[in-house]
Each structure stands twice: as C-alpha cells, then as structure tokens.
Amino acid sequence: MESSKTVRKLEVASPVPADIDIANSVAPLHIADIAADLNLSPRHYDLYGKYKAKVLLSVLDEVQDSPDGYYVVVGGITPTPLGEGKSTTTVGLCQALGAFLDKKVVTCLRQPSQGPTFGIKGGAAGGGYSQVIPMDEFNLHLTGDIHAITAANNLLAAAIDTRIFHEATQSDKALFNRLCPPNKEGKRTFCNIMYRRLKKLGIDKTNPDDLTPEEVTKFARLDIDPDSVTWRRVMDVNDRFLRKITVGQGPDEKGMVRETGFDISVASEIMAVLALTTSLDDMRERLGKMVIGNSKAGEPITADDLGLGGALTVLMKDAINPTLMQTLEGTPVLVHAGPFANIAHGNSSIVADKIALKLVGSGGFVVTEAGFGSDIGTEKFMNIKCRYSGLTPQCAIVVATVRALKMHGGGPQVVAGRPLDRAYLTENVGLVEAGCVNLARHISNTKAYGSNVVVAINMFSTDTEAELNAVRKAAIDAGAFDAVICTHHAHGGKGAVSTEYSINSYQYYGCDARLSSFAIPMLVDLGIAVQKACENVTQPLRFLYPLDASIKEKIEAIAKSYGAAGVEYSEQAEKQIEMYSKQGFSNLPICMAKTQYSFSDNAAAKGAPTGFILPIRDVRASIGAGFIYPLVGTMSTMPGLPTRPCFFDIDLDTTTGKVIGLS
C-alpha cells in the first residue's frame, strides 16, 4: 500500500515537553486531507469544524466488496495505577506503520470520558510524540457522542419513574385511554412502537377498541417492580456523592420515594450498545431490547415496552457515525464509543473497525486498543466484540513495562500521585524476572485465541539493558511471536526509524548512559514484527466458551483463565442466574466485572495468582448490548474525585484561545 500523502515528519525535543504543549505545537491538517488519503470524498462525511468529521455508515455499503486489511488488537499486562502506555503504543505503532513503513493504517480508539480527564488519570489521546490531535478536542466534547448517550439514558430513566407514577395513580381504563386516545373522529389507533409490545404479549389485534378487558390490562399496565429497576441516571463527571440517591421526594410525586443512583455516562448500557452495534437497524433493535427491570410477575420490561426505543434511536442517530481525526504525524484515526472497561467490554466500536478494515484494504492495518489488561480488555474483545462483528484479529499486542513487572515480582505498592519507590528507579533483574509470570500468563491466555502475540516493551529512562533483556527473554520463552522495545513516547515515528539520537535524549521513555553498548530497537521494529505476525498467523479464531453453555459454565471458563480453582456464587448471584436463564438470556456472552489490578478479585494479589476461589457477588444483564455481567467483588460505576484532581492544572490561554494543562 502507498503511504499517506499527508504524513508529517516531527521535530522532537529533549527532554520531552508536556503532552498538551506537544499537541499545541503541531498545526493539524484539515480533516478533508486525512479523509482524501482514505479515498473518502465529501459525500462520505460530515465536517465538525476543520479537524473532525463524522464518517457516514453509508461508506460501508460502497466498500463492502473490498478486501479487509490486517486486524490488530492492543492489550497489556496487569497494569499499575499509572497505566503502562497502551494508547501511546497504539498511536505510535500506527505512526510508524503509516509514516515510515508506507502502509495504509487506521487507528481505532475509544472516546475518553470527562471523568478521568478532569479526575486523576487525565486524557486518553496517547502521549508525548504519539498522540491524537487536536488533543483538547479529543479529550473533551469531541462531536458530542457521550452527551447524546447521557441524554438518551436519562430520558429512559425519567420514563421509568414516570410510568411507575402514572400506573400507581390511574385505573387500567384511564391508562389505556391516555395511551391510545381517540382522534378528532373518535377513532383510537396504536402508534407503531406499540405493536412491538402487542407482539410480545401475543396480541395480534390492530384496533385498540377490539382488546378485551384482560388484554387492556396486559397492554397498559407494565406493573414495574420498583425494587427490580436496574436502570440508573448518568453524567460524565466523577461525582461520588451521586452513587446513591433518592428520587420522588417532591410533594407532587405523592410520596413515591425510590432509592437509585448515578453512574458515569460511559458505564451506560447505551454506550455498550453503540460499541457493539453493526448498523442503524441493529442499534434500533438493541436499544429497544434493553431491559430496565422486571414486572412484579418477574417478566423483563424493555425500553420498547415503555414506548421509547424509537426516541432513543433518534437521539443516537448521529452518534453511530465514527469520528475521523489524525495523529501528530498525519495518519488517520477513527474515534468511536467509550464503554467502561470493567462493567462493559472496554473496546471501541465494531462499525469503526469494519469501516477502517475496508478503507485500508489488503496489506493495510487497523490497530485498535482494548481496555485495561488483556485478562479484561482482550478477553472481552475476543469473546464478545469478535462474536458480534465476525472479524478475526491476526495479531494481539501485549504492552509491558519494567515498572509493572517489578511490581508483580514483589515490588512496593505503586500509587498515583506519589513518587516511585527506589526499587523502580534502580536495576533489579531478579524483581523483573519474578514479575514476568504475569506477562507469561497474559501471553498464553492471548495465544489461546489463535492470534500471534507480539510484546511491546515501553522503555523508561531508568530501565537497564539487563532488565529489558530479561523481559524479552521471558516473552519469547512464554510463546510470544516477538518482543520489541519501544520509545515512541519520546520519538514518535521519526524516532522509530532514526538512529541519530544520542543516549542522553532518552529522558522519559528510553535509556540512559548505562545502555551505551545496547543496540536500541526502534518502534519500526514493532511495526515490522506486527506485519510478520499478521502474515504468518496459522490458527483460526477460537473462543473461550460456546454460547450454548450455561451461564455458570461460561463464568467458570473465564475464571479458569484467571488461574482460579473454582467459583463461589452469592445467594443473590444464584437468584439472578436462575432468573436470566428462565427469561431466555443464558445464550449471551459473559462480560466479567472485576478489578483491573489483578487476575483475581483481590487487587493486591500481584503476579499470576492460582488456586483462589473467584467470588461472584451479583449477576446483571445488558440485554440490548448483548451480554451478562457477573460482578466480582465490589465494582464502582461512578468514580470519585481525588483530593488533587487534574482540573487544577487545566485552564485556557485567553490570548491565544488554547487549552493549557491538559494531560
């Protein structure tokens, strides 16, 4: 494939400036130029200013007969709270492939939530000289998809409480008369969405006046059990004080008080629906099938039962289109969806990947990132996302750092916002080797899906030749196709192919004078390794479990991959599994909700623990998105702000209009 006409060669500085300063130092290309490199014409996208565009789904119809490119997923080892650089690796790899290896490439990323952006983690545009730009727009409102999800989610929440209220204060006849009022001629009609509920109830009548009194009651009264309602309101802000609230305290609600709470917007099932949908029709069906709770008789109540599936689709009709952006070096990026990586599946959208694979064509590359460690993100990518997409990855990357491996080898606790212990700043090969058990398990688990595994070792200035060699050896011994040391944070694509940098230029990711005799592999080696891994894959995609297995069998298959000796179910979990099985949902894939900081349920259990019993506290369902999610321990869906959030540093230069302090 020919390289992009728009690639930009970077002039890197040492030491590496702040991310926002690097992003602001590069003038983005007009997004029409990025689109043109993908053979997209103005009819294929809607502009959102100069540097963003929504790529229309109609593109898929035009390119459906084109061959797909290679499909690469980026996961990682079990991370420290500081993160190990998956986004940076994803972006840097694509810059190397597109700007220096002359490959057609598209990066597919999730849209960041404002919660971590203003909280403790910061944004998710990559870092250093491997970033998506404009970085401030990427990390903030972008094209409004998360706002659309928030609006749709909260409309459904309002509809639930309103329906409970009206049913509690009206007779069956009054409800029916208001749901199907007579027109000016005195004739009643069903609106289109009502036929979905009628079909569900087995009523094939088209005239409201033909319904029997029993049918009127069944149709008009959902009889929602307030204690069964699982649908919560959302907002895209970390606000711990909204985790539990009461609603209905106003005098007009006649004492209908109910306990509920807020989740962060990216934890909404509507976000998961957006990420897993394959078309506008499919999204409409998924939104309508979302279950918000049960009737008092134990029947699932859906958004379509509430008459809302169509309205939700209207609010989401623009959000279904991926957003086109660019990297610092002018390679294209599709940003779409941002599902929570614990409760949901933590991967960007199927439609973005499908569009990208057709646009890069044969020999091109689509690189997408899966959230958290590969035990969470890559597992869900394979068993959930690939099931619904029908796509097969040829290569899976596992991102590792010496820092994280030292932690898994018994190093001191790593805490965000605190200085690193001396153990992480001085050579300790034994600690690294001990921690490589974590890397080895991630490699073996990922290989089991049939993809070739390439390990990307993000290098820090304090890493030594002996430590890095230990990681490479452990990776190869564990069955990795290749293991490559990467310096993309400090050098971007230019650093990927150039040997002109002195040892002293490695100020953040890189090496120091102790490595003067070490032949430093550049990021281009990662690109070459990924290409070879894709070209030499020999195994078909293998799932961890069949869909026709029981809910418990699927949970236990995943638990076994963690190293668990067994699974223990709470009384509540047993009750929910029985209910979902009776309701016909047992054939859905499983989306485990557990800590990202350990293979087990215990975040303090580092390395590769075995023999533990995995506790399932509860089991819930996202029926519209299409998965069952067991809760392993206590999982928060509304993060809280730390004492010193990132927003202290964020401001606007009112002279230039540029955002400053965003990380």
Side-chain angles (χ1 to χ4, degrees):
M1 305 297 294
E2 292 184 358
S3 63
S4 168
K5 301 181 183 68
T6 58
V7 293
R8 179 194 298 108
K9 308 302 180 186
L10 294 174
E11 292 297 328
V12 303
S14 178
V16 179
D19 290 351
I20 187 66
D21 293 335
I22 294 173
N24 285 338
S25 72
V26 177
L29 300 160
H30 196 287
I31 201 64
D33 296 333
I34 304 297
D37 275 353
L38 292 172
N39 296 320
L40 294 173
S41 71
R43 77 175 187 277
H44 295 134
Y45 57 84
D46 291 331
L47 290 172
Y48 279 65
K50 297 178 182 178
Y51 310 125
K52 306 185 298 292
K54 281 281 195 179
V55 178
L56 306 178
L57 292 195
S58 56
V59 170
L60 270 177
D61 296 329
E62 294 190 28
V63 298
Q64 61 180 337
D65 295 328
S66 300
D68 286 349
Y70 292 122
Y71 195 28
V72 180
V73 59
V74 179
I77 62 172
T78 306
T80 69
L82 305 179
E84 310 317 311
K86 289 198 315 298
S87 298
T88 309
T89 300
T90 303
V91 175
L93 169 61
C94 291
Q95 289 181 168
L97 285 167
F100 292 93
L101 292 177
D102 295 330
K103 303 297 180 183
K104 282 282 189 180
V105 63
V106 174
T107 313
C108 289
L109 295 174
R110 289 181 293 166
Q111 179 182 347
S113 164
Q114 289 181 184
T117 297
F118 289 111
I120 195 169
K121 187 177 180 182
Y129 287 98
S130 295
Q131 291 190 59
V132 179
I133 56 173
M135 184 259 246
D136 55 334
E137 296 182 27
F138 176 87
N139 282 318
L140 299 174
H141 304 285
L142 199 61
T143 48
D145 292 356
I146 293 180
H147 300 316
I149 288 162
T150 303
N153 184 100
N154 292 343
L155 176 61
L156 180 51
I160 294 165
D161 286 310
T162 298
R163 187 61 175 260
I164 294 172
F165 168 78
H166 286 308
E167 289 193 16
T169 56
Q170 298 179 52
S171 66
D172 295 349
K173 183 177 179 180
L175 279 170
F176 185 69
N177 287 342
R178 287 180 171 87
L179 288 169
C180 301
N183 59 21
K184 292 180 180 179
E185 290 75 34
K187 184 178 180 181
R188 299 178 188 275
T189 58
F190 292 119
C191 63
N192 285 337
I193 199 170
M194 290 178 176
Y195 288 107
R196 293 174 178 254
R197 175 155 179 79
L198 290 167
K199 182 179 180 181
K200 177 180 175 180
L201 296 171
I203 301 172
D204 59 2
K205 299 173 181 177
T206 58
N207 184 348
D209 292 326
D210 291 342
L211 267 61
T212 67
E214 292 78 13
E215 289 171 337
V216 166
T217 298
K218 287 171 64 178
F219 170 77
R221 190 167 294 280
L222 301 182
D223 203 26
I224 299 169
D225 178 1
D227 292 334
S228 76
V229 173
T230 55
W231 198 265
R232 292 154 60 96
R233 288 160 175 82
V234 301
M235 62 189 303
D236 198 34
V237 173
N238 289 359
D239 192 342
R240 67 178 71 242
F241 286 94
L242 292 178
R243 289 171 179 168
K244 184 176 287 189
I245 64 168
T246 56
V247 295
Q249 297 190 76
D252 294 337
E253 280 65 62
K254 298 180 175 59
M256 295 187 64
V257 176
R258 183 173 72 84
E259 188 176 276
T260 181
F262 274 78
D263 295 332
I264 196 164
S265 294
V266 291
S268 170
E269 183 178 350
I270 296 177
M271 175 63 88
V273 166
L274 177 65
L276 290 171
T277 195
T278 55
S279 68
L280 195 58
D281 285 341
D282 181 60
M283 184 173 74
R284 169 63 185 87
E285 294 305 310
R286 288 175 180 268
L287 291 172
K289 289 193 298 185
M290 293 188 304
V291 173
I292 58 88
N294 300 322
S295 70
K296 291 174 183 175
E299 296 299 317
I301 303 298
T302 68
D304 272 346
D305 287 330
L306 286 155
L308 208 59
L312 298 179
T313 308
V314 169
L315 285 171
M316 293 292 294
K317 68 179 179 65
D318 295 323
I320 197 174
N321 299 313
T323 300
L324 180 65
M325 296 187 76
Q326 63 191 283
T327 68
L328 282 168
E329 300 194 50
T331 59
V333 181
L334 285 178
V335 185
H336 204 208
F340 215 59
N342 290 103
I343 298 300
H345 65 293
N347 282 264
S348 60
S349 77
I350 286 173
V351 293
D353 290 359
K354 284 193 166 187
I355 290 172
L357 285 164
K358 296 297 184 185
L359 293 179
V360 299
S362 180
F365 291 83
V366 171
V367 184
T368 188
E369 177 192 349
F372 293 140
S374 59
D375 58 316
I376 295 181
T378 304
E379 184 270 308
K380 295 174 182 179
F381 173 88
M382 300 291 187
N383 289 305
I384 300 176
K385 185 176 180 181
C386 289
R387 282 189 196 271
Y388 286 122
S389 70
L391 300 173
T392 299
Q394 289 76 39
C395 176
I397 294 173
V398 175
V399 176
T401 62
V402 167
R403 176 183 66 196
L405 292 172
K406 284 182 174 180
M407 178 191 71
H408 288 294
Q413 187 178 8
V414 176
V415 180
R418 294 184 191 172
L420 285 171
D421 187 272
R422 179 174 170 78
Y424 297 104
L425 306 176
T426 56
E427 182 175 279
N428 191 325
V429 177
L431 208 57
V432 175
E433 290 175 336
C436 282
V437 295
N438 184 270
L439 173 61
R441 183 177 292 173
H442 282 291
I443 292 170
S444 62
N445 282 358
T446 305
K447 279 188 67 179
Y449 297 111
S451 301
N452 281 335
V453 175
V454 173
V455 174
I457 307 165
N458 279 350
M459 185 160 55
F460 291 88
S461 61
T462 51
D463 299 342
T464 69
E465 179 178 356
E467 290 173 332
L468 293 165
N469 279 337
V471 179
R472 295 184 71 189
K473 181 180 185 302
I476 299 301
D477 289 346
F481 183 87
D482 203 348
V484 182
I485 297 166
C486 306
T487 64
H488 40 276
H489 182 280
H491 302 126
K494 185 173 184 179
V497 295
S498 174
T499 57
E500 66 186 354
Y501 296 98
S502 69
I503 292 299
N504 293 330
S505 71
Y506 289 78
Q507 297 294 322
Y508 186 69
Y509 285 93
C511 59
D512 59 19
R514 289 170 294 176
L515 298 186
S516 58
S517 63
F518 188 48
I520 303 164
M522 296 295 166
L523 188 60
V524 69
D525 293 336
L526 180 62
I528 292 170
V530 166
Q531 180 178 351
K532 289 180 178 178
C534 289
E535 292 171 345
N536 289 282
V537 68
T538 58
Q539 301 292 321
L541 175 61
R542 295 190 296 267
F543 298 120
L544 197 55
Y545 51 79
L547 287 182
D548 59 5
S550 70
I551 291 175
K552 282 190 174 182
E553 287 171 335
K554 287 181 278 197
I555 290 172
E556 287 155 17
I558 298 172
K560 185 178 179 181
S561 76
Y562 297 157
V567 177
E568 183 177 79
Y569 301 91
S570 71
E571 184 179 342
Q572 173 67 12
E574 294 277 10
K575 177 183 173 183
Q576 293 297 104
I577 290 171
E578 182 181 4
M579 181 186 70
Y580 291 138
S581 298
K582 285 182 178 178
Q583 291 176 342
F585 302 139
S586 63
N587 64 337
L588 293 175
I590 299 297
C591 186
M592 297 286 265
K594 80 168 185 71
T595 178
Q596 67 270 33
Y597 295 125
S598 174
F599 277 109
S600 74
D601 62 299
N602 178 10
K606 304 304 182 184
T610 58
F612 57 91
I613 302 298
L614 194 73
I616 305 298
R617 176 175 62 87
D618 198 358
V619 178
R620 299 177 187 170
S622 292
I623 302 304
F627 53 74
I628 302 289
Y629 62 98
L631 301 181
V632 182
T634 302
M635 300 300 304
S636 175
T637 52
M638 171 55 82
L641 289 171
T643 304
R644 207 284 194 184
C646 293
F647 61 62
F648 274 85
D649 300 312
I650 299 171
D651 209 332
L652 188 72
D653 185 326
T654 56
T655 302
T656 64
K658 290 186 176 181
V659 174
I660 56 177
L662 194 62
S663 62

